């Protein structure tokens, strides 16, 4: 099931609370580790992402420069088609790579594997937001050189990346040639044995619309054939050298090069600042987009590298002020723990910070797995973090869903439903999932979006968003549920939802998936509540909503009724909530005779083998018990968890974080901690064996969930903030900051007490272990004792 955690060896990757770094170059690891390092050291601002390929461009496993939402259509071919199957997919494109700076010394190319390395350090610095490398080597002729590089993807200017390249000849004269490149290479090869990977394109995908090189600047531009997008990218350079350099620019459709040539005397240095800019647009005329690139480059050159670097530091510092989670485990493993937590948080920042107007792909912008598609991963696993640390970006992500509403209405019509049906996976709002059983059938994404919307509104207090956009999403999704389900005579008039797939993708097309029914119920109840609230308090917004949705006065009543009569499967004998109507009748999976190397099962068994067994890919009913915690008793949580946990393979990275939270809540402390460490190490220890293809952003979001909802015991149903803290025994302290309704709350925990401090805002009421705590500007801080968790339920009303 869970692969062992392989901690990165400390002599190569030493613990450091503010960086992940490799301090030795180990040639033997190149073969195995190049791909993982490209993900581990990837840089992104949520709009532009660049994998951590080495400066020389070789050796490389998966080069990747991605722009969020820059995609091409891809035909989806089926052996046998059926009505409503999507036929046009979308796939994020690899943009021209501008990081490569190849170097020759005395006519010999420099590559790390071929060089005699004297010292080496490569470091992703969480405080500066930069990827730094410092390498010294000796040529076969005994010349010592030192190369320091620094790379950043700007958080302040989302179309900009910048590199510093500093080469010094230490002990002898060296003839050097540095070729700075901007190169268009689409990956063609695809490993078809893993369905999660993105397929490559056959033939040319980016069609050149022009190239231009002048002095040390080059700009390339392209258009896509089918998705109707134009791309331009460019590079420019500023050089300061202790010696005279000759420069020459060459350029064609796919390859721009600026060649710097010169002789370095001992002790002399060349410093090159390279600026890269990427823009894309739905206007396919090349000129405007090329001008955008030129302006970004002008701006960067004018600002200068040190000011760009200073802005980067400032942005990252602001992020840590908002979002850091500090853990003190008081022993040797402490720094490692903090380092892993910060790497995960840093990834969340990289995936989201400048994503405005776009979604968050399942692998962020660190790899092409899942084709750059947006899934429910964002709403359920990442949005809570953003709602509490960066509400404007949370809002932008929900607005992106609103912008997809028309496509979702079309899709609902195509499937003969009322309302709107959001795509399981998409970039442009159209369904791009080819396998309907584990795709389109996951109707729960509609309720997941509604759930996240509610959480955003209640925690941020942004009711305006609800009026302008949210209410419309709620009406259309509630309509979908009302239409999809029916009052079943056989089930005593209960409202049943048939033919859906829940979060667990090893069980498909079932009736009454417990998670789906519960979440649909929430969706319909909330929609009815909000429609009535608008009707009562805001007649203008209500009138506009009616205009936009054609809302019938009877509809909210119908949603209430369906919610009220919602069927929730319950097995009296086992006293558990069956995952769906048929789940408990299935044969249990034969775990004892499943070889370890057959996990993940999806790569070794036909879906039918999985569907006819009690075997679970990821938290499903257990996830419902976390999200809708207040709707289950402690006893139900315990029984359900004990039933489902042994059946769960965690073949999806979205699983262990949730199991950790629920295990913690029901007092299974060791299990909670065990699962937490797996969640935390998902990428850094490459638990799934596929980190090389990109970081698992949902699992990373889940790490934050497991810390804040797990060990600090946050619950926030209906916007009521409560904590039931319970730290792992061998941790001393944990602290973090949350933004709640325009107030800033700092939470500091140890084993004996919790301290709540209101850092900003007039007042805030919260609950600690069931006790009401009122913070105000007069009394901004309160310390409360921590007692062992109470027996039943999360906490009681005071
Ligand atoms: C999981 C889905 C998830 C997708 C993208 C799949 O393996 O089962 O729940 O949305 O990965 O991360």
């Amino acid at each position: 099931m869970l692969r062992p955690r392989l901690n990165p060896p400390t002599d190569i990757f030493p613990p450091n609370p503010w960086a992940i770094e490799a301090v030795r170059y180990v040639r033997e690891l190149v073969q195995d580790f190049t791909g993982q390092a490209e993900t581990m050291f990837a840089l992104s601002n949520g709009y532009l992402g660049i994998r951590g390929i080495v400066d020389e461009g070789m050796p490389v496993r998966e080069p990747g420069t991605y722009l969020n939402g820059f995609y091409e259509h891809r035909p989806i071919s089926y052996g046998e088609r059926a009505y409503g199957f999507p036929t046009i997919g979308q796939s994020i494109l690899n943009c021209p790579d501008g990081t490569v700076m190849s170097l020759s010394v005395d006519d010999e190319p420099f590559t790390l594997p071929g060089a005699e390395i004297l010292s080496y350090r490569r470091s992703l610095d969480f405080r500066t937001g930069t990827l730094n490398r410092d390498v010294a080597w000796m040529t076969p002729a005994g010349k010592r050189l030192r190369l320091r590089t620094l790379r950043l993807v700007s958080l302040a200017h989302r179309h900009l990346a910048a590199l510093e390249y500093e080469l010094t000849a230490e002990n002898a004269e060296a003839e050097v040639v540095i070729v700075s490149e901007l190169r268009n290479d689409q990956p063609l090869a695809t490993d078809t044995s893993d369905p999660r990977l993105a397929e490559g394109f056959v033939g040319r995908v980016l069609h050149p619309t022009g190239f231009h090189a002048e002095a040390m600047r080059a700009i390339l531009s392209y258009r896509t054939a089918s998705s109707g997008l134009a791309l331009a990218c460019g590079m420019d350079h500023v050089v300061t050298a202790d010696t005279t350099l000759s420069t020459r620019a060459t350029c064609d459709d796919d390859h721009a090069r600026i060649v710097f040539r010169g002789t370095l005397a001992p002790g002399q240095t060349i410093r090159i600042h390279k600026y890269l800019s990427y823009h894309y647009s739905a206007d396919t005329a090349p000129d405007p987009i090329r001008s955008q690139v030129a302006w970004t480059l002008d701006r960067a050159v004018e600002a200068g590298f040190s000011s760009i670097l200073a802005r980067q530091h400032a942005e990252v510092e602001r992020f840590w002020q908002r979002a850091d989670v500090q853990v003190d485990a008081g022993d040797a493993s402490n720094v490692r723990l903090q380092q892993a937590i910060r790497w995960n948080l840093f990834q969340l920042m990289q995936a989201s910070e400048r994503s405005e107007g776009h979604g968050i792909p399942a692998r962020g912008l660190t790899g092409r797995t899942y084709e750059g598609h947006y899934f429910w991963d964002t709403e359920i696993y990442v949005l809570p973090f953003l709602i509490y640390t960066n509400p404007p970006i949370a809002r932008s992500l929900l607005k992106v869903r609103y912008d997809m509403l028309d496509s979702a209405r079309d899709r609902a019509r195509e499937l003969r439903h009322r309302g709107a049906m959001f795509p399981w996976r998409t970039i442009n709002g159209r369904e791009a999932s080819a396998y309907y059983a584990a795709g389109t059938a996951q109707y729960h994404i509609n309720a997941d979006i509604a759930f996240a919307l509610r959480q955003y509104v209640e925690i941020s207090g942004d009711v305006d968003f609800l009026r302008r956009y949210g209410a419309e999403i709620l009406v259309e999704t509630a309509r979908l549920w009302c239409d999809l389900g029916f009052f079943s005579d056989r089930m005593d008039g209960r409202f049943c939802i048939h033919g859906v797939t829940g979060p667990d993708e090893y069980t498909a097309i079932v009736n009454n998936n417990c998670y789906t029914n519960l979440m649909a119920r929430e969706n319909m109840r909330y929609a009815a509540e909000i429609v009535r609230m608008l009707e009562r308090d805001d007649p203008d917004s209500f009138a506009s909503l009616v205009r936009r949705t054609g809302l019938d006065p009877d509809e909210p009543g119908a949603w209430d009724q369906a919610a009220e009569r919602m069927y929730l499967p319950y097995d009296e004998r086992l006293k558990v909530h069956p995952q769906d109507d048929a789940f408990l009748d299935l044969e249990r999976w034969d775990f004892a005779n499943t070889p370890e190397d057959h996990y993940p099962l999806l790569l070794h068994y036909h879906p039918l083998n999985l569907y006819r067994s009690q075997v679970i890919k990821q938290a499903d009913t257990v996830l419902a018990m976390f999200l809708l915690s207040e709707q289950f008793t402690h006893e139900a949580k315990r029984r359900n968890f004990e039933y489902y946990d042994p059946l769960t393979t965690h073949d999806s990275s979205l699983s262990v974080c949730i199991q950790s939270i629920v295990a913690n809540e029901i007092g299974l402390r060791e299990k909670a901690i065990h699962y937490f460490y797996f969640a935390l190490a998902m990428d850094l220890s490459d638990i799934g064996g596929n980190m090389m293809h990109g970081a698992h952003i949902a699992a990373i979001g889940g790490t934050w969930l497991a810390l804040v909802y797990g060990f600090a015991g946050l619950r926030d149903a209906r916007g009521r903030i409560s904590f039931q803290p319970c730290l792992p025994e061998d941790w001393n302290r944990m602290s973090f900051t949350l933004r709640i309704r325009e107030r800033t709350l700092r939470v500091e925990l140890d084993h004996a007490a919790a301290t709540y401090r209101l850092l900003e805002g007039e007042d805030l009421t919260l609950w600690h272990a069931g006790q009401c705590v009122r913070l105000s500007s007069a009394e901004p801080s309160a310390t409360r004792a921590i007692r062992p968790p109470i027996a039943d339920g999360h906490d009681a009303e005071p």
Side-chain angles (χ1 to χ4, degrees):
M1 299 220 204
L2 283 170
R3 283 163 42 116
R5 279 191 285 132
L6 302 169
N7 284 323
T10 23
D11 58 330
I12 306 175
F13 298 97
N16 176 339
W18 283 108
I20 188 102
E21 50 186 358
V23 294
R24 284 201 299 127
Y25 186 72
V26 184
R27 208 160 274 110
E28 298 69 46
L29 282 184
V30 171
Q31 183 63 24
D32 294 341
F33 196 66
T34 300
Q36 280 99 317
E38 287 166 6
T39 298
M40 187 191 270
F41 293 124
L43 292 174
S44 165
N45 58 20
Y47 174 79
L48 164 64
I50 299 179
R51 277 172 67 77
I53 64 166
V54 292
D55 302 291
E56 299 70 45
M58 292 292 282
V60 64
R61 185 76 188 242
E62 274 183 33
T65 298
Y66 309 110
L67 296 177
N68 195 346
F70 182 66
Y71 71 97
E72 177 55 308
H73 289 140
R74 199 171 51 74
I76 307 181
S77 46
Y78 300 92
E80 287 179 44
R81 266 202 215 172
Y83 173 83
F85 281 16
T87 51
I88 303 174
Q90 307 138 38
S91 209
I92 195 166
L93 292 175
N94 194 8
C95 297
D97 179 5
T99 55
V100 175
M101 305 280 281
S102 48
L103 167 68
S104 298
V105 178
D106 298 338
D107 286 342
E108 299 297 334
F110 165 70
T111 62
L112 289 169
E116 185 182 339
I117 306 284
L118 303 176
S119 67
Y120 176 87
R121 178 180 289 267
R122 194 175 193 216
S123 153
L124 176 65
D125 188 321
F126 307 146
R127 254 195 293 225
T128 57
T130 56
L131 176 63
N132 311 326
R133 199 185 70 176
D134 187 342
V135 53
W137 75 100
M138 186 142 69
T139 68
K143 297 184 183 180
R144 282 202 322 267
L145 288 105
R146 177 170 215 117
L147 176 59
R148 288 201 191 89
T149 59
L150 185 153
R151 196 187 282 181
L152 64 90
V153 171
S154 174
L155 296 162
H157 310 286
R158 72 174 183 164
H159 299 278
L160 179 71
L163 282 81
E164 181 172 62
Y165 187 92
E166 196 182 87
L167 178 69
T168 305
E170 293 207 318
N171 67 341
E173 188 178 278
E175 299 255 343
V176 299
V177 180
I178 301 163
V179 185
S180 173
E181 307 190 38
L182 180 61
R183 193 163 70 191
N184 175 34
D185 283 322
Q186 281 297 321
L188 294 177
T190 308
D191 171 3
T192 46
S193 65
D194 187 338
R196 297 166 295 187
L197 299 182
E199 280 182 34
F201 286 89
V202 179
R204 187 177 263 290
V205 203
L206 290 177
H207 298 272
T209 53
F211 59 85
H212 178 76
E214 195 183 339
M216 288 186 275
R217 177 178 289 195
I219 296 180
L220 307 177
S221 60
Y222 303 88
R223 63 172 177 76
T224 58
S226 169
S227 60
L229 298 174
L231 166 75
C233 50
M235 61 175 174
D236 204 350
H237 303 79
V238 174
V239 181
T240 40
D242 299 335
T243 183
T244 319
L245 288 183
S246 75
T247 56
R248 195 163 62 89
T250 63
C251 197
D252 61 29
D253 281 344
D254 290 318
H255 204 166
R257 274 182 251 225
I258 311 289
V259 182
F260 301 93
R261 220 155 42 78
T263 305
L264 285 175
Q268 284 190 330
T269 296
I270 297 172
R271 184 179 300 117
I272 302 175
H273 288 143
K274 178 175 185 176
Y275 302 106
L276 287 166
S277 169
Y278 293 83
H279 282 261
Y280 79 91
S281 121
D283 171 3
T284 48
D287 281 347
I289 196 94
R290 280 201 291 255
S291 304
Q292 296 281 353
V293 165
W295 295 330
T296 301
L297 292 175
D298 289 346
R299 211 164 90 171
V301 170
E302 253 169 59
F305 195 82
S306 49
S307 117
I308 291 170
L309 196 59
R311 279 295 298 275
Q312 185 79 347
H313 291 199
E315 294 295 330
V316 180
E317 199 177 317
R318 268 200 284 279
F319 167 75
W320 289 116
Q321 273 168 13
R322 296 192 313 256
D324 196 15
V325 178
Q326 284 143 347
V327 168
D328 169 7
D331 66 2
S333 67
N334 189 40
V335 176
R336 188 54 109 204
L337 173 64
Q338 188 66 70
Q339 178 181 37
I341 290 174
R342 291 219 175 98
W343 184 84
N344 279 275
L345 296 173
F346 194 78
Q347 297 310 314
L348 290 175
M349 177 193 72
Q350 295 212 112
S352 62
E353 191 79 1
R354 299 305 309 272
S355 66
E356 59 264 26
H358 304 281
I360 296 183
R363 295 287 184 271
L365 295 170
T366 66
R368 287 186 66 237
T369 300
Y370 289 124
E371 304 188 85
H373 289 166
Y374 318 136
F375 292 72
W376 72 312
D377 302 34
T378 308
E379 280 76 15
I380 297 299
Y381 289 81
V382 181
L383 261 173
F385 167 78
L386 293 172
I387 289 170
Y388 280 107
T389 62
N390 194 353
I393 285 294
R395 182 184 195 277
S396 160
L397 288 161
L398 289 163
K399 172 69 168 47
V400 167
R401 288 299 190 187
Y402 176 78
D403 294 339
M404 293 178 183
L405 199 52
D406 279 339
S407 300
R409 287 180 172 118
D410 289 349
R411 181 67 173 154
R413 270 195 295 275
E414 190 177 15
L415 270 79
R416 309 279 186 264
H417 294 311
R418 298 193 64 222
M421 184 172 171
F422 282 98
W424 175 242
R425 50 189 289 178
T426 191
I427 294 176
N428 66 5
R430 304 268 160 200
E431 178 65 274
S433 155
Y435 181 52
Y436 74 94
T440 299
Q442 295 203 48
Y443 281 84
H444 66 83
I445 189 169
N446 296 283
D448 302 331
I449 292 170
F451 183 89
L453 169 64
R454 174 178 204 154
Q455 195 178 34
Y456 168 72
V457 171
E458 289 175 345
I459 303 305
S460 71
D462 183 1
V463 181
D464 183 57
F465 184 83
L466 205 51
R467 285 193 202 102
R468 285 166 182 256
Y469 312 112
E472 205 175 324
I473 296 181
L474 292 173
V475 166
E476 298 294 14
T477 46
R479 272 181 178 156
L480 175 86
W481 293 117
C482 204
D483 177 71
L484 180 65
F486 68 108
F487 295 95
S488 162
D489 292 341
R490 272 201 66 233
M491 304 302 283
D492 197 19
R494 294 264 158 201
F495 192 77
C496 292
I497 300 176
H498 285 181
V500 302
T501 297
D504 165 26
E505 295 185 349
Y506 286 174
T507 313
I509 323 279
V510 296
N511 297 342
N512 295 313
N513 168 254
C514 183
Y515 174 92
T516 306
N517 287 17
L518 278 163
M519 293 290 281
R521 179 167 78 174
E522 284 304 294
N523 191 162
M524 289 191 284
R525 277 183 183 157
Y526 186 49
E529 181 186 321
I530 292 307
V531 165
R532 289 198 187 104
M533 188 265 281
L534 289 182
E535 187 174 14
R536 192 185 58 228
D537 301 343
D538 188 347
D540 290 347
S541 299
F542 180 70
S544 151
L545 180 68
V546 171
R547 243 191 342 270
R548 284 178 285 154
T549 59
L551 183 72
D552 184 288
D554 294 340
E555 281 186 271
W559 306 334
D560 273 341
Q561 210 196 351
E564 188 60 31
R565 305 283 304 146
M566 182 65 76
Y567 171 68
L568 293 175
Y570 186 73
D571 186 90
E572 283 297 344
R573 196 174 52 87
L574 294 171
K575 301 216 172 340
V576 299
H577 290 83
Q579 190 173 292
D580 58 70
D581 281 355
F583 191 82
L584 299 182
D585 297 333
L586 304 176
E587 189 182 1
R588 283 173 87 94
W589 183 264
D590 184 1
F591 288 100
N593 289 309
T594 307
E596 259 179 46
D597 60 2
H598 280 30
Y599 294 94
L601 301 179
L602 64 100
L603 297 185
H604 301 273
Y605 297 88
H606 191 279
L608 286 170
N609 296 130
L610 302 168
Y611 296 169
R612 66 170 69 94
S613 305
Q614 289 195 40
V615 60
I616 298 176
K617 185 179 179 191
Q618 65 203 94
D620 187 302
T621 310
V622 173
L623 177 60
M625 297 198 299
F626 160 51
L627 297 178
L628 303 172
S629 175
E630 74 290 354
Q631 301 186 21
F632 291 84
T633 63
H634 185 83
E635 181 59 12
K637 283 178 190 158
R638 195 181 58 73
R639 281 183 175 277
N640 286 336
F641 186 89
E642 281 169 3
Y643 189 83
Y644 291 112
D645 190 51
L647 299 173
T648 308
T649 58
H650 311 295
D651 280 353
S652 159
S653 66
L654 280 62
S655 195
V656 275
C657 49
I658 305 300
Q659 302 287 120
S660 170
I661 296 169
V662 177
N664 202 49
E665 192 177 345
I666 58 176
L668 299 176
R669 313 298 316 289
E670 267 179 37
K671 186 147 241 172
I673 293 161
H674 172 78
Y675 279 146
F676 168 74
Y677 280 113
F678 270 98
L680 183 68
M682 189 62 67
D683 281 323
L684 288 177
S685 300
D686 200 8
I687 306 283
N690 57 2
M691 180 209 189
M692 74 172 94
H693 303 304
H696 296 77
I697 300 300
I700 288 171
T703 303
W704 185 87
L705 297 177
L707 286 164
V708 173
Y709 287 86
F711 300 130
L714 168 69
R715 292 293 179 277
D716 51 16
R718 318 267 172 279
R720 176 184 182 274
I721 303 293
S722 69
F723 295 91
Q724 181 85 54
C726 197
L727 293 187
E729 256 164 43
D730 50 359
W731 296 9
N732 295 331
R733 271 178 291 276
M734 176 164 100
S735 56
F736 54 89
T737 305
L738 302 176
R739 191 91 184 130
I740 302 163
R741 295 185 277 280
E742 300 187 340
R743 294 146 174 92
T744 306
L745 174 71
R746 174 120 190 108
V747 180
E748 291 159 2
L749 307 172
D750 61 27
H751 288 284
T755 301
Y756 303 98
R757 288 179 212 283
L758 188 61
L759 301 185
E760 211 187 317
E762 297 282 288
D763 52 24
L764 183 67
T765 300
L766 54 88
W767 278 260
H768 166 89
Q771 303 297 314
C772 183
V773 179
R774 287 183 215 286
L775 303 175
S776 66
S777 34
E779 266 185 79
S781 146
T783 299
R784 295 288 181 272
I786 293 179
R787 291 188 200 88
I790 51 174
D792 200 8
H794 181 63
D795 60 359
E797 287 289 335

